[in-house]
Amino acid sequence: MIKVKNLYHSYSNDENYAVDDVSFEISKGEIFGFLGPSGAGKSTTQNILTGLLQLQKGEVEVAGYDVKHIKNKMFNKIGMSFEQSNVYNKMSGLENLEFYGKLFDVDTRNPMELIKMVGLDGKENIKAGKYSKGMKHRLTFARSMINNPELWFLDEPTTGLDPAIASNIKDIIKEENNKGVTIFLTTHNMYIADELCDRVAFIVDGKIRLIDSPKELKLKYGEKLVEVEYLREGKPIKESYSTVVEEEKNQLIKVIKENNIQTMHTKEATLEEIFIKVTGRGLV
Amino acid sequence: MKLWYSFTKELILSSKSWYFYIELGMAIILLLVLLFVVPEDFDSKSEEYMYLDVPQVVKDRYRDNLKDEDLDEESQMVEVEADKRTFQAEFYETDESEIYILDNMEALNAFSSGERVPTVHVRVNEENQIVHTYYLQGYETQKLKNLLLVFHNRKAGYDVIEDYSDNIPVRSLYQNIEPLSDRENVIPVFLTFNGSLMSLFIIAAYIFLDKSEGIIKAYAVTASSVWHYLLSKIGVIIVTSIATSLIITIPIMGLQPNYFAMLLFIITSGFFAASLGLYITSFYKDIIQAFGVLYIVIVIMIMPNISYFTPSWDPDWIKIIPSYVMLQSFKEIISINGNIAYVLVASLGFAVLGLDIFILANHRFKKTLTL
């Protein structure tokens, strides 16, 4: 669905690249997470893919279209949810969706259905300018689905939302993905990436440092340990056992059999820990 | 169809904004100014105060001459005030002047010293010659002083002046067309600046507002073209310009203007001005950054006003400033027997130029969507 080969971009038109030799491919139906701290080159890459920035150097194919010679038809296939809400403040939520629906050449979704989906029903006739930040964000998110996109660009889709609504948004993303929609997710939130993405790319200083599935990354970079907490003679004991070394595996079995286990979990590395380990950089 | 949707959406958004009503309100204020503040014709007659300190027979001769030139060939006795005192005066009104013949030297001095206006003391000297003594105020030009000297020394210069004036080629500024009244003459200025040229600044304001809210980016990722968005903005601005221009013109000019030519010219000149505004805004992130360039454009566009109100100052370079062509075109449109061919050529020029600039602006916008 997306093919990027040796992509470069410089805002100063010199060799000071904001995106530096980036290559990746995304298959149909995949959720691809583009992860990195602020200024890493995430938005620049996404802006090039969506035609908001002109392609300077490299090859980019999006939804079957060459981005070098971008055509309006391409936008019938893609949806874009911006991090910063950008709706018409003087129009109601419903009017916003109705208007954008008219700008596509394909069958569009029922605006009211989308309003309900993001929990704005009952507020559809209020001017968007009177919406809270979170409500505007949900309206921007809903708008990006108006044309039933095959390829969906999501830029920080849950930022600024309360946990219940963020969970609702994640469910919508999963649901759309189950229908076959390919998703390009740009975020610095590792938890949402971990939960949703089939594969993630770590980008720092314009370069991709690693691309893999969260599961593989955890296996590769996580410590293969089980942490057990149990009571021995009334006192709490906390110990770790390897799930690889045979002797420690037997000790773990013995502890489980002979003691009253309070807590026990595998010690998986989080994506954030892996990111820091791989890139040597934090995510903020 | 998408262009139409964008246009109607912009029209609805405009009708919900204060700015739209400020423009309409401003047009009404300008109309009221024209109707109640600007006179039909400005009074440009000079006031002259004289004291005829001469024998009665000479006085009568003067009076007879003045009556011949007077508009109703009669004099009026009036009271005039100077230096907080009231004096009697004979009043004559000619095509060029309002002349007051004062009773005595005291009245003349009151006007000269108290009111600071030029006065004339006419007397007879010892050689029975009529002498005119002018009490000037110091601000008169050397040309005027020379003219008075020549005028009162006819023997020395009259023949020369007569020969010279007979050979001066005189070209009427108005050929077949009826000259406009002073009030009507102001209308092209209002139409140019409140109508066509305001488009340049209004579109800048609209675009920067949309840029700050990220609206253009949202539009750019739809299957509609950016030029639809830009043209729909221009369309709304032109509709507003038509409305404000008609508000100003109809109550004063009635059916006299050629309204077809007016609509055509507002559309083409507005399109040109708005495209220029778009092109300028495409280089800047916000209105503060663009203000320097917009200010320079304002100053340049104002300059043809000098030529408009002072037709004798009409250098070639000022004729290439778009507002010069706009002023002249609107003047032709509202005049009886105005030169509509000039208006049509100007409309074509603005349409072609506007289209070129619009294409450039569209190209710039596509490159700077993330600014």
Side-chain angles (χ1 to χ4, degrees):
Chain A
M1 205 59 167
I2 295 179
K3 285 179 190 168
V4 177
K5 200 173 168 190
N6 307 120
L7 177 66
Y8 292 84
H9 191 88
S10 166
Y11 287 102
S12 46
N13 284 320
D14 53 18
E15 300 215 333
N16 188 16
Y17 292 114
V19 173
D20 190 352
D21 197 15
V22 163
S23 301
F24 61 91
E25 287 191 16
I26 303 173
S27 312
K28 188 167 171 51
E30 191 178 6
I31 303 184
F32 186 81
F34 213 51
L35 315 181
S38 301
K42 303 190 299 284
S43 297
T44 304
T45 306
Q46 187 181 253
N47 285 337
I48 294 167
L49 299 186
T50 52
L52 290 173
L53 261 181
Q54 285 210 325
L55 176 63
Q56 292 176 344
K57 190 176 165 189
E59 291 169 30
V60 179
E61 191 184 300
V62 172
Y65 290 91
D66 182 355
V67 168
K68 197 169 269 176
H69 310 288
I70 213 156
K71 289 190 170 69
N72 284 338
K73 281 183 195 169
M74 180 183 98
F75 295 104
N76 287 320
K77 290 186 173 183
I78 70 171
M80 170 81 201
S81 178
F82 294 88
E83 182 184 6
Q84 303 289 335
S85 307
N86 48 6
V87 293
Y88 284 105
N89 286 327
K90 287 196 169 71
M91 287 162 79
S92 71
L94 186 60
E95 285 169 341
N96 263 283
L97 297 188
E98 283 172 344
F99 168 64
Y100 276 94
K102 291 172 184 167
L103 300 179
F104 294 92
D105 309 307
V106 290
D107 287 339
T108 52
R109 288 172 92 148
N110 180 350
M112 240 356 256
E113 176 202 320
L114 293 174
I115 290 269
K116 280 179 190 161
M117 199 186 266
V118 295
L120 289 174
D121 42 326
K123 298 175 180 77
E124 67 272 15
N125 292 319
I126 296 172
K127 279 185 184 173
K130 291 187 177 169
Y131 281 7
S132 68
K133 201 176 169 186
M135 287 161 76
K136 279 188 192 175
H137 193 80
R138 280 184 275 161
L139 184 61
T140 306
F141 179 80
R143 186 185 64 197
S144 67
M145 287 186 279
I146 193 82
N147 56 324
N148 280 309
E150 291 173 31
L151 174 59
W152 199 12
F153 290 90
L154 300 174
D155 194 355
E156 305 287 1
T158 57
T159 300
L161 300 178
D162 68 54
I165 294 166
S167 171
N168 179 34
I169 294 291
K170 280 187 276 188
D171 289 344
I172 294 170
I173 295 169
K174 284 177 194 167
E175 206 176 301
E176 292 299 310
N177 179 243
N178 287 338
K179 290 182 200 167
V181 175
T182 310
I183 295 167
F184 185 90
L185 175 69
T186 308
T187 185
H188 65 266
N189 183 332
M190 293 292 167
Y191 296 102
I192 182 177
D194 193 2
E195 190 180 341
L196 295 174
C197 295
D198 298 313
R199 283 190 306 147
V200 292
F202 290 168
I203 182 167
V204 173
D205 297 332
K207 288 179 187 288
I208 288 185
R209 299 293 175 90
L210 174 154
I211 301 178
D212 213 333
S213 70
K215 191 178 166 186
E216 285 299 319
L217 287 172
K218 284 175 191 172
L219 286 172
K220 202 169 170 184
Y221 292 96
E223 294 176 63
K224 295 175 177 64
L225 295 173
V226 172
E227 205 171 71
V228 186
E229 206 174 333
Y230 60 94
L231 294 175
R232 184 189 288 160
E233 296 166 2
K235 286 182 181 173
I237 307 288
K238 195 175 178 182
E239 289 174 336
S240 295
Y241 297 95
S242 168
T243 55
V244 182
V245 180
E246 200 59 33
E247 192 185 336
E248 288 196 27
K249 277 162 79 177
N250 291 332
Q251 280 178 349
L252 174 63
I253 293 165
K254 195 179 169 194
V255 166
I256 294 168
K257 279 183 180 172
E258 293 176 0
N259 297 286
N260 182 8
I261 305 295
Q262 301 293 301
T263 62
M264 183 170 79
H265 24 234
T266 53
K267 197 167 182 300
E268 275 182 341
T270 64
L271 266 186
E272 187 161 3
E273 285 167 343
I274 297 168
F275 186 92
I276 293 166
K277 193 181 269 185
V278 172
T279 67
R281 295 273 296 272
L283 271 164
V284 183
Chain B
M1 206 58 187
K2 288 178 208 162
L3 179 62
W4 174 249
Y5 289 138
S6 290
F7 172 69
T8 50
K9 182 263 304 171
E10 291 294 340
L11 208 56
I12 292 165
L13 285 177
S14 280
S15 69
K16 289 179 179 178
S17 77
W18 277 107
Y19 194 80
F20 180 74
Y21 296 101
I22 288 172
E23 266 195 276
L24 294 183
M26 200 62 213
I28 293 168
I29 290 169
L30 291 176
L31 171 67
L32 295 176
V33 167
L34 281 173
L35 285 175
F36 300 112
V37 180
V38 179
E40 183 72 28
D41 282 298
F42 296 118
D43 186 4
S44 57
K45 290 180 181 177
S46 62
E47 289 185 354
E48 294 170 17
Y49 295 88
M50 300 174 79
Y51 169 47
L52 301 177
D53 188 8
V54 290
Q56 192 59 40
V57 63
V58 181
K59 261 187 197 173
D60 291 342
R61 183 79 184 272
Y62 252 98
R63 285 192 177 110
D64 289 344
N65 286 341
L66 285 171
K67 275 181 185 169
D68 287 346
E69 287 182 34
D70 192 276
L71 295 175
D72 58 5
E73 297 183 1
E74 289 293 332
S75 67
Q76 284 175 271
M77 286 306 294
V78 292
E79 284 188 343
V80 284
E81 275 191 24
D83 208 15
K84 297 178 183 170
R85 283 177 288 167
T86 306
F87 302 99
Q88 291 291 316
E90 280 174 61
F91 174 66
Y92 297 87
E93 186 176 9
T94 70
D95 284 335
E96 290 153 2
S97 327
E98 290 175 349
I99 301 162
Y100 296 88
I101 307 293
L102 301 168
D103 273 352
N104 50 53
M105 198 62 198
E106 186 193 358
L108 193 79
N109 287 336
F111 274 96
S112 181
S113 313
E115 299 302 311
R116 309 281 296 164
V117 291
T119 56
V120 191
H121 178 205
V122 186
R123 63 185 171 84
V124 178
N125 67 8
E126 295 79 8
E127 294 164 6
N128 277 333
Q129 289 174 318
I130 295 175
V131 176
H132 291 74
T133 306
Y134 284 85
Y135 294 88
L136 302 179
Q137 300 295 328
Y139 51 73
E140 293 81 2
T141 62
Q142 191 58 44
K143 281 180 185 173
L144 177 71
K145 291 173 193 168
N146 292 342
L147 194 66
L148 292 171
L149 279 171
V150 172
F151 184 75
H152 291 293
N153 292 280
R154 292 183 177 188
K155 280 182 186 170
Y158 189 72
D159 295 343
V160 178
I161 291 170
E162 194 174 35
D163 286 349
Y164 180 72
S165 62
D166 285 349
N167 290 317
I168 292 174
V170 177
R171 178 175 59 87
S172 172
L173 290 172
Y174 304 100
Q175 303 291 329
N176 298 321
I177 63 169
E178 289 282 322
L180 297 170
S181 70
D182 287 331
R183 179 187 287 158
E184 291 168 343
N185 203 32
V186 178
I187 291 177
V189 178
F190 285 176
L191 296 185
T192 298
F193 290 93
N194 192 55
S196 302
L197 278 180
M198 275 308 281
S199 308
L200 194 151
F201 308 108
I202 296 165
I203 201 146
Y206 279 160
I207 292 288
F208 285 129
L209 185 67
D210 279 4
K211 266 191 178 181
S212 69
E213 291 181 348
I215 298 292
I216 304 179
K217 278 196 218 175
Y219 201 97
V221 292
T222 68
S224 188
S225 303
V226 172
W227 73 263
H228 285 165
Y229 164 84
L230 299 175
L231 195 61
S232 58
K233 288 259 180 222
I234 291 178
V236 170
I237 287 169
I238 288 174
V239 167
T240 318
S241 290
I242 291 171
T244 55
S245 299
L246 293 180
I247 286 173
I248 294 171
T249 313
I250 291 174
I252 294 172
M253 302 297 297
L255 295 173
Q256 183 176 312
N258 184 328
Y259 283 105
F260 168 75
M262 180 182 269
L263 284 180
L264 179 72
F265 191 73
I266 292 170
I267 291 168
T268 54
S269 59
F271 175 63
F272 161 79
S275 296
L276 187 61
L278 276 180
Y279 187 64
I280 292 170
T281 54
S282 72
F283 288 90
Y284 301 97
K285 195 175 179 182
D286 55 46
I287 202 157
I288 296 164
Q289 285 184 6
F291 193 75
V293 174
L294 291 175
Y295 179 75
I296 291 168
V297 172
I298 293 170
V299 172
I300 293 171
M301 294 295 187
I302 284 173
M303 293 190 81
N305 266 332
I306 305 167
S307 167
Y308 182 77
F309 286 112
T310 319
S312 57
W313 186 76
D314 199 27
D316 286 342
W317 61 265
I318 212 155
K319 292 176 186 170
I320 60 167
I321 298 174
S323 50
Y324 177 92
V325 183
M326 290 177 189
L327 285 165
Q328 298 303 327
S329 297
F330 279 122
K331 192 171 183 176
E332 299 294 348
I333 287 167
I334 64 170
S335 299
I336 295 172
N337 299 326
N339 186 352
I340 298 303
Y342 176 87
V343 179
L344 294 177
V345 171
S347 296
L348 181 67
F350 278 126
V352 171
L353 213 56
L355 187 64
D356 292 342
I357 298 172
F358 181 79
I359 291 168
L360 280 175
N362 181 49
H363 180 68
R364 286 275 320 155
F365 267 90
K366 280 201 274 189
K367 280 177 75 174
T368 58
L369 284 166
T370 52
L371 260 184

XYZ file of all heavy atoms in Angstrom, chain A residues 47 50 52-54 72 75-76 80 82 85-91 95 99-100 102-105 143, chain B residues 2 5-6 9-10 13 16-17 213-215 217-225 229 366-367 369-370:
419
model
N 3.876 14.029 5.900
C 3.450 15.122 5.005
C 3.840 14.850 3.552
O 3.113 15.212 2.632
C 4.038 16.458 5.466
C 3.329 16.998 6.693
O 2.181 16.650 6.956
N 4.008 17.821 7.466
N 1.417 12.258 2.159
C 0.059 12.756 1.907
C 0.050 13.949 0.953
O -1.003 14.561 0.739
C -0.613 13.180 3.238
O 0.265 14.077 3.920
C -0.914 11.989 4.095
N 1.322 16.870 1.306
C 1.356 18.209 1.912
C 2.738 18.848 1.756
O 2.874 20.060 1.785
C 0.976 18.139 3.392
C -0.492 17.807 3.671
C -0.713 17.583 5.161
C -1.410 18.897 3.167
N 3.750 18.000 1.611
C 5.102 18.492 1.323
C 5.531 17.905 -0.011
O 5.231 16.738 -0.298
C 6.074 18.006 2.401
C 6.447 18.947 3.539
C 7.435 18.250 4.465
C 7.026 20.255 3.056
N 6.210 18.710 -0.788
C 6.636 18.212 -2.098
C 7.806 17.238 -1.961
O 8.730 17.478 -1.179
C 7.033 19.384 -2.976
C 5.802 20.131 -3.484
C 6.005 20.771 -4.836
O 7.102 21.222 -5.123
N 4.973 20.814 -5.642
N -5.388 14.173 -7.711
C -6.472 14.337 -6.734
C -7.162 13.013 -6.417
O -7.637 12.793 -5.311
C -7.513 15.338 -7.261
C -7.011 16.766 -7.153
O -6.114 17.054 -6.362
N -7.562 17.639 -7.947
N -6.581 10.972 -3.279
C -7.170 11.322 -1.986
C -8.530 10.670 -1.762
O -9.047 10.697 -0.656
C -7.244 12.845 -1.849
C -5.885 13.482 -1.821
C -5.382 14.136 -2.928
C -5.091 13.384 -0.686
C -4.115 14.698 -2.916
C -3.829 13.940 -0.670
C -3.329 14.600 -1.780
N -9.110 10.091 -2.838
C -10.330 9.315 -2.627
C -10.030 8.057 -1.824
O -10.906 7.495 -1.180
C -10.938 8.917 -3.977
C -11.581 10.098 -4.680
O -12.223 10.921 -4.039
N -11.377 10.190 -5.987
N -6.944 11.274 6.399
C -5.866 11.841 7.211
C -6.460 12.500 8.450
O -7.260 13.429 8.352
C -5.120 12.876 6.344
C -4.141 13.735 7.086
S -2.595 12.870 7.340
C -1.903 13.783 8.699
N -5.417 14.662 11.532
C -4.303 15.513 11.968
C -4.185 15.541 13.495
O -5.179 15.401 14.206
C -4.513 16.943 11.463
C -4.445 17.067 9.969
C -5.579 16.893 9.189
C -3.248 17.360 9.334
C -5.525 17.010 7.808
C -3.185 17.479 7.955
C -4.321 17.309 7.190
N -6.272 19.740 15.629
C -7.618 19.778 15.042
C -7.713 20.943 14.071
O -7.261 22.046 14.375
C -8.657 19.971 16.140
O -8.454 18.999 17.124
N -8.275 20.689 12.889
C -8.402 21.767 11.894
C -9.760 21.678 11.221
O -9.875 21.275 10.081
C -7.265 21.714 10.872
C -7.045 20.328 10.311
O -7.809 19.405 10.586
N -6.021 20.168 9.523
N -10.766 22.063 11.993
C -12.132 22.041 11.470
C -12.628 23.479 11.344
O -12.027 24.396 11.896
C -13.070 21.239 12.415
C -12.705 19.777 12.415
C -13.038 21.802 13.826
N -13.723 23.663 10.603
C -14.299 25.002 10.471
C -15.049 25.340 11.756
O -16.082 24.739 12.063
C -15.248 25.059 9.275
C -14.542 25.117 7.953
C -14.474 23.995 7.132
C -13.932 26.291 7.518
C -13.819 24.047 5.909
C -13.273 26.346 6.296
C -13.226 25.230 5.504
O -12.573 25.281 4.292
N -14.518 26.301 12.490
C -15.105 26.638 13.785
C -16.498 27.241 13.685
O -17.284 27.143 14.625
C -14.193 27.615 14.531
C -12.954 26.913 15.060
O -13.006 25.734 15.423
N -11.838 27.608 15.077
N -16.782 27.882 12.543
C -18.083 28.557 12.423
C -19.162 27.617 11.885
O -20.305 28.020 11.712
C -17.953 29.783 11.514
C -17.197 30.915 12.194
C -17.404 32.215 11.476
C -16.893 33.379 12.297
N -15.438 33.446 12.385
N -18.766 26.367 11.594
C -19.749 25.387 11.141
C -19.952 24.352 12.252
O -19.042 24.106 13.047
C -19.248 24.686 9.864
C -19.296 25.574 8.627
S -18.252 24.963 7.301
C -19.274 23.696 6.635
N -22.196 19.874 9.949
C -21.938 20.639 8.712
C -20.511 20.413 8.219
O -20.263 20.309 7.019
C -22.166 22.143 8.950
C -23.624 22.534 9.024
C -23.836 23.962 9.515
O -22.910 24.538 10.141
O -24.930 24.484 9.301
N -19.848 18.913 4.577
C -19.083 19.654 3.574
C -17.926 18.807 3.038
O -17.740 18.684 1.819
C -18.558 20.968 4.153
C -17.527 21.620 3.267
C -17.881 22.071 1.999
C -16.207 21.727 3.662
C -16.937 22.642 1.159
C -15.262 22.289 2.830
C -15.625 22.744 1.571
N -17.142 18.210 3.945
C -15.985 17.427 3.474
C -16.419 16.221 2.648
O -15.726 15.811 1.723
C -15.093 17.011 4.653
C -14.139 18.111 5.019
C -14.452 19.021 6.018
C -12.947 18.291 4.327
C -13.593 20.063 6.328
C -12.086 19.322 4.627
C -12.411 20.214 5.631
O -11.561 21.240 5.907
N -18.572 16.178 0.464
C -18.833 16.601 -0.925
C -17.549 16.785 -1.733
O -17.607 17.041 -2.926
C -19.620 17.913 -0.911
C -21.041 17.761 -0.414
C -21.689 19.114 -0.241
C -23.090 18.969 0.347
N -23.614 20.257 0.799
N -16.424 16.695 -1.066
C -15.162 16.970 -1.765
C -14.504 15.704 -2.321
O -13.384 15.751 -2.820
C -14.188 17.701 -0.832
C -14.678 19.054 -0.289
C -13.637 19.671 0.643
C -14.994 20.032 -1.419
N -15.209 14.566 -2.197
C -14.652 13.310 -2.717
C -15.504 12.794 -3.870
O -16.684 13.134 -3.979
C -14.574 12.271 -1.596
C -13.596 12.643 -0.516
C -14.012 13.353 0.610
C -12.251 12.315 -0.638
C -13.109 13.719 1.592
C -11.348 12.682 0.344
C -11.766 13.387 1.461
N -14.871 11.952 -4.705
C -15.589 11.408 -5.870
C -16.139 10.015 -5.596
O -16.647 9.364 -6.498
C -14.630 11.325 -7.078
C -13.925 12.633 -7.323
O -14.613 13.652 -7.428
O -12.677 12.647 -7.387
N -13.794 12.966 10.616
C -13.732 13.504 9.252
C -12.801 12.676 8.369
O -13.053 12.495 7.176
C -13.240 14.951 9.305
C -13.282 15.661 7.971
C -12.664 17.039 8.069
N -11.251 16.956 8.405
C -10.523 17.971 8.873
N -11.088 19.141 9.091
N -9.241 17.816 9.145
N -17.508 20.517 -7.141
C -16.792 20.719 -5.871
C -16.497 22.196 -5.667
O -16.521 22.696 -4.542
C -15.485 19.921 -5.882
C -15.685 18.437 -5.750
C -14.334 17.762 -5.817
C -14.470 16.373 -6.355
N -13.195 15.850 -6.838
N -19.573 23.733 -4.311
C -19.738 23.420 -2.886
C -18.812 24.299 -2.037
O -19.202 24.814 -0.993
C -19.413 21.942 -2.603
C -20.432 20.968 -3.144
C -20.040 19.797 -3.771
C -21.798 21.216 -3.013
C -20.968 18.904 -4.278
C -22.725 20.322 -3.508
C -22.315 19.173 -4.144
O -23.239 18.293 -4.630
N -17.572 24.437 -2.519
C -16.612 25.249 -1.778
C -17.061 26.705 -1.735
O -16.972 27.360 -0.701
C -15.229 25.192 -2.438
O -14.684 23.933 -2.257
N -20.026 27.122 0.572
C -19.557 26.996 1.965
C -18.867 28.282 2.411
O -19.119 28.801 3.512
C -18.596 25.800 2.057
C -18.042 25.495 3.426
C -16.677 26.062 3.667
C -15.670 25.631 2.654
N -14.406 26.320 2.750
N -18.009 28.842 1.534
C -17.313 30.088 1.870
C -18.303 31.235 2.047
O -18.130 32.087 2.915
C -16.299 30.458 0.774
C -15.093 29.542 0.685
C -14.186 29.605 1.899
O -14.239 30.596 2.650
O -13.427 28.645 2.112
N -19.874 30.781 5.385
C -18.923 31.145 6.444
C -18.772 32.666 6.528
O -18.707 33.224 7.620
C -17.559 30.505 6.184
C -17.444 29.009 6.465
C -16.059 28.507 6.092
C -17.726 28.696 7.924
N -21.418 34.413 8.259
C -21.391 34.210 9.712
C -20.271 35.003 10.380
O -20.092 34.929 11.586
C -21.192 32.716 10.031
C -22.405 31.865 9.705
C -22.130 30.409 10.026
C -23.359 29.559 9.723
N -23.121 28.141 9.968
N -19.483 35.727 9.556
C -18.361 36.461 10.153
C -18.679 37.948 10.246
O -19.419 38.500 9.428
C -17.091 36.257 9.320
O -17.148 37.042 8.161
N -5.521 28.111 11.408
C -6.401 27.037 11.894
C -6.151 25.710 11.177
O -6.802 24.723 11.480
C -7.862 27.468 11.729
C -8.249 28.594 12.683
C -9.705 29.009 12.547
O -10.352 28.594 11.577
O -10.168 29.752 13.416
N -5.214 25.694 10.218
C -4.861 24.445 9.528
C -5.892 23.989 8.511
O -5.862 22.848 8.044
N -6.848 24.878 8.167
C -7.945 24.511 7.270
C -7.415 24.108 5.882
O -7.932 23.178 5.261
C -8.926 25.706 7.118
C -9.558 26.058 8.459
C -9.967 25.416 6.062
C -10.491 25.044 9.010
N -4.654 22.701 5.052
C -4.098 21.338 5.058
C -5.209 20.305 4.949
O -5.096 19.324 4.220
C -3.343 21.102 6.377
C -1.955 21.636 6.400
C -1.241 20.992 7.571
C -0.330 21.948 8.251
N 0.269 21.372 9.454
N -6.291 20.557 5.711
C -7.413 19.606 5.691
C -8.011 19.541 4.283
O -8.399 18.468 3.822
C -8.481 20.036 6.696
N -8.085 20.695 3.628
C -8.642 20.746 2.273
C -7.717 20.039 1.291
O -8.167 19.375 0.360
C -8.816 22.217 1.859
C -9.798 22.424 0.738
C -11.118 22.786 1.006
C -9.429 22.252 -0.575
C -12.032 22.980 -0.016
C -10.334 22.438 -1.609
C -11.630 22.795 -1.325
O -12.527 22.978 -2.340
N -6.413 20.177 1.534
C -5.424 19.638 0.593
C -5.422 18.108 0.559
O -4.938 17.525 -0.409
C -4.040 20.157 0.943
N -5.947 17.465 1.590
C -5.971 15.993 1.577
C -7.360 15.464 1.192
O -7.743 14.361 1.568
C -5.495 15.384 2.918
C -4.027 15.638 3.137
C -6.325 15.898 4.088
N -8.111 16.276 0.468
C -9.362 15.800 -0.115
C -9.148 15.664 -1.626
O -8.120 16.097 -2.146
C -10.519 16.798 0.137
O -10.257 17.978 -0.623
C -10.654 17.157 1.594
N -10.161 15.095 -2.288
C -10.027 14.907 -3.746
C -10.332 16.189 -4.513
O -10.447 16.180 -5.730
C -10.946 13.784 -4.201
N -10.471 17.287 -3.784
C -10.702 18.577 -4.440
C -9.361 19.300 -4.572
O -8.461 19.095 -3.764
C -11.660 19.398 -3.576
O -12.041 20.557 -4.250
N -9.262 20.157 -5.599
C -7.978 20.834 -5.821
C -7.848 22.066 -4.938
O -8.848 22.681 -4.567
C -7.886 21.296 -7.274
O -8.053 20.200 -8.121
N -10.344 25.735 -3.682
C -10.393 26.440 -2.395
C -10.068 27.918 -2.594
O -10.785 28.804 -2.113
C -9.399 25.774 -1.437
C -9.053 26.597 -0.229
C -9.866 26.590 0.892
C -7.905 27.389 -0.204
C -9.558 27.351 2.002
C -7.582 28.144 0.888
C -8.412 28.129 1.991
O -8.095 28.901 3.077
N 0.569 25.175 -3.353
C 0.777 23.718 -3.337
C 2.128 23.387 -2.709
O 2.295 22.348 -2.090
C 0.688 23.168 -4.761
C -0.769 22.998 -5.204
C -0.907 22.025 -6.332
C -0.709 22.684 -7.659
N -1.014 21.858 -8.799
N 3.086 24.298 -2.892
C 4.426 24.051 -2.348
C 4.538 24.419 -0.874
O 5.474 24.019 -0.206
C 5.460 24.879 -3.137
C 5.840 24.256 -4.462
C 6.789 25.135 -5.209
C 8.187 25.083 -4.638
N 9.147 25.836 -5.455
N 1.995 24.294 1.634
C 0.825 23.931 2.432
C 1.140 23.726 3.910
O 0.288 23.906 4.764
C 0.205 22.641 1.878
C -0.591 22.828 0.592
C -0.874 21.497 -0.043
C -1.870 23.559 0.888
N 2.376 23.330 4.208
C 2.709 23.046 5.600
C 3.301 24.252 6.312
O 3.708 24.155 7.452
C 3.697 21.871 5.694
O 4.796 22.164 4.841
C 3.061 20.588 5.289
